[in-house]
Amino acid sequence: MRCACFFANTVVTITTPKVRIVQGDRGRLEQKVNLDAEVYFPKTTDYTLFAAMKNNVVVDKIYVRAGQAVAAGETLFTATMPDYDTAMNELQDKYDEKAASLLDKDIENLRTEHSSTENTLYEAVLAAQTALAAAEHDARVLAAELGVTLGTDTAQWKHRAGEQEALLTSVQNAADARTAYSKAYALFIKDYKRSSSQFRESTFKYIKERNALLGELNDLMDDMVALTERRNTLTRVTAPQDGYVVAISVKSGDTYDGKTAAFTLSNADTPPQLRADITSFGKVIAENTKVEVAGNYGTEKTKVENTALGSDGKKYVYIALTDDVISAKGGITAMLTNGKVEVTVRYKAKEATTLIPAAALRSAGEGSDYVYIIQRSNDGFLGSASMKIVKTPVSVLERGDTMVSVRESLDYQDIVAGEDRALSDNCTVMEYVN
């Protein structure tokens, strides 16, 4: 009888599925999420050199690369203006032609006899006007050569000249000439109003024609100064602000026509970040979530700054790009060159739920998740304790690498998390014995 009992117990032991038992727990689901991030500049400015629409330039040498930090005034690239000499010669020829016409007018007028006080004062005005035009011309050309824009408000010229002595001297000469002209003109008008004599009609015609020529000369001088300013601006292109170079849209040998952006800089007051697409992740990653970035000599730690939708409709997590991370990855230029930066986000759920090992979760299809819960009784073989399993549906809230969050309260429940053969609802099982 003893042998029969032993044999029967052996058969039960052999045929009964053996399972590994775990228990549900309460807590916040945690998992490591590996993401491919990229360097992202939150605020950038595209710079288009519209002056090149009037005079195209050919790019010579590029001095910076994307990701490089630059200071205002730093050279980005140099170029040549192939049509500068031709354009300047054309303007100079027109100027010389008008100047010759003005001289002819002056000579013709001087041949006319003049004896009145008005005429003497008028000649003084003409001389002062000519001297003023020459002084302003010299100041504007020098300013253009030095890369300084004086503008049309002559009262601001001294301020805009800064501390450049040669330009300050030229600007002062123009100011002195302007004062002399104002005095000569005031004396002429005062005497003209006092006197009863009249200039002849031919004199007024001369004045009108001369003023017209002077206007044309000034316009041509404006064009020459503007051309020189365009050459200075376009042949050595500098950074208009501090920031990172986001893109250089031209390359050596390109002809640039000013119709598209030549370069893009990040705003100095908005540091770059790392950005990773989490659209398919489907979970909310909170601010200050810990992030790890593997470097050449170890792992650097940083954190999530925020999550938001991008302009492309995708959901992104934005990560602080610290100096340590930049150094560990060999600089921003290296990160942009590589394209992707691997990061590990330590995700943690906002709320505590029931957590079970991922191995305990089973599925009969989409939305049909369940677990096997252990039920114990004492109606086993010869009154011994026995265990059977009960299929219990669960609602999965989140899935992690090793743990799963479910809505149901399964605290302290014994759950099957592994077996040596197929299981079925209500079948008897045995626990693995080490």
Side-chain angles (χ1 to χ4, degrees):
M1 182 68 178
R2 183 177 179 183
C3 290
C5 291
F6 176 78
F7 177 74
N9 190 46
T10 300
V11 171
V12 171
T13 301
I14 294 173
T15 59
T16 301
K18 297 174 181 59
V19 298
R20 183 172 291 107
I21 299 174
V22 297
Q23 285 191 331
D25 196 6
R26 194 76 179 170
R28 292 164 62 187
L29 181 68
E30 295 186 42
Q31 70 178 106
K32 289 184 177 181
V33 183
N34 295 320
L35 300 171
D36 285 334
E38 62 184 359
V39 176
Y40 174 72
F41 299 94
K43 292 184 180 180
T44 62
T45 303
D46 293 331
Y47 287 95
T48 302
L49 309 179
F50 295 106
M53 295 180 72
K54 292 186 176 180
N55 300 92
N56 293 178
V57 293
V58 177
V59 178
D60 181 22
K61 185 176 180 180
I62 307 294
Y63 288 86
V64 296
R65 294 188 296 167
Q68 182 175 330
V70 294
E74 186 172 342
T75 300
L76 302 180
F77 64 88
T78 55
T80 58
M81 186 180 288
D83 66 344
Y84 174 78
D85 289 338
T86 299
M88 181 58 79
N89 288 338
E90 289 178 356
L91 289 172
Q92 189 66 55
D93 289 344
K94 292 179 181 179
Y95 187 90
D96 291 344
E97 180 183 346
K98 294 298 179 183
S101 297
L102 179 62
L103 181 59
D104 289 343
K105 287 288 180 186
D106 287 342
I107 291 174
E108 181 182 349
N109 186 64
L110 289 173
R111 286 172 181 165
T112 305
E113 292 184 3
H114 300 288
S115 57
S116 66
T117 304
E118 292 95 333
N119 190 71
T120 301
L121 294 173
Y122 171 67
E123 293 294 343
V125 171
L126 294 182
Q129 188 176 51
T130 301
L132 173 59
E136 289 188 346
H137 161 264
D138 292 344
R140 294 178 65 182
V141 170
L142 178 58
E145 291 174 351
L146 295 174
V148 176
T149 301
L150 291 178
T152 57
D153 185 358
T154 56
Q156 296 294 320
W157 282 16
K158 187 173 182 180
H159 171 70
R160 293 184 177 182
E163 298 181 359
Q164 303 192 58
E165 292 185 6
L167 183 56
L168 279 171
T169 299
S170 188
V171 166
Q172 186 60 52
N173 290 339
D176 294 342
R178 197 173 304 112
T179 300
Y181 170 76
S182 297
K183 289 181 178 179
Y185 185 79
L187 288 173
F188 168 72
I189 292 298
K190 180 180 179 181
D191 190 77
Y192 178 77
K193 289 180 178 180
R194 178 188 59 78
S195 174
S196 60
S197 63
Q198 300 290 324
F199 282 116
R200 291 173 301 181
E201 183 178 345
S202 60
T203 302
F204 283 109
K205 180 181 178 182
Y206 163 67
I207 294 173
K208 183 177 180 181
E209 291 175 348
R210 192 177 197 280
N211 285 339
L213 285 171
L214 283 173
E216 293 181 45
L217 284 172
N218 284 334
D219 290 343
L220 287 168
M221 183 55 58
D222 287 343
D223 292 341
M224 285 190 280
V225 171
L227 177 61
T228 301
E229 288 178 339
R230 286 197 295 276
R231 181 194 61 181
N232 293 342
T233 300
L234 295 173
T235 56
R236 188 175 78 87
V237 178
T238 60
Q241 58 161 87
D242 295 349
Y244 284 97
V245 177
V246 178
I248 290 287
S249 304
V250 296
K251 61 181 182 296
S252 181
D254 282 354
T255 296
Y256 180 69
D257 58 9
K259 295 180 180 179
T260 58
F263 58 93
T264 303
L265 298 182
S266 70
N267 291 18
D269 58 351
T270 308
Q273 299 171 302
L274 289 175
R275 185 179 78 164
D277 181 1
I278 58 169
T279 305
S280 59
F281 184 55
K283 301 174 185 177
V284 176
I285 298 179
E287 293 182 14
N288 297 318
T289 296
K290 295 179 180 179
V291 180
E292 296 177 351
V293 182
N296 297 327
Y297 303 100
T299 300
E300 297 299 333
K301 291 179 170 47
T302 180
K303 64 180 180 179
V304 171
E305 293 190 319
N306 67 297
T307 58
L309 289 176
S311 58
D312 55 4
K314 295 180 180 180
K315 189 175 184 180
Y316 290 97
V317 59
Y318 296 89
I319 301 165
L321 186 52
T322 65
D323 290 340
D324 288 340
V325 171
I326 293 173
S327 177
K329 301 303 292 185
I332 292 181
T333 296
M335 285 188 277
L336 288 173
T337 301
N338 293 335
K340 297 294 182 182
V341 179
E342 294 181 0
V343 300
T344 300
V345 177
R346 290 183 169 273
Y347 168 76
K348 191 171 187 178
K350 286 186 175 181
E351 298 179 355
T353 59
T354 298
L355 302 180
I356 62 173
L361 183 68
R362 303 158 194 273
S363 178
E366 186 175 353
S368 300
D369 299 308
Y370 64 95
V371 295
Y372 283 125
I373 293 180
I374 300 291
Q375 284 190 349
R376 302 177 187 273
S377 66
N378 292 319
D379 58 356
F381 184 74
L382 298 179
S384 63
S386 67
M387 297 185 299
K388 72 174 183 177
I389 59 174
V390 177
K391 182 178 179 180
T392 304
V394 292
S395 302
V396 176
L397 300 175
E398 293 185 86
R399 300 173 189 265
D401 298 326
T402 60
M403 302 295 287
V404 177
S405 167
V406 297
R407 179 176 287 112
E408 291 73 17
S409 177
L410 301 177
D411 301 9
Y412 309 113
Q413 297 271 18
D414 288 335
I415 304 171
V416 176
E419 59 273 354
D420 66 350
R421 68 195 70 183
L423 302 177
S424 61
D425 190 19
N426 289 313
C427 75
T428 299
V429 295
M430 298 178 65
E431 186 174 6
Y432 275 119
V433 177
N434 294 332

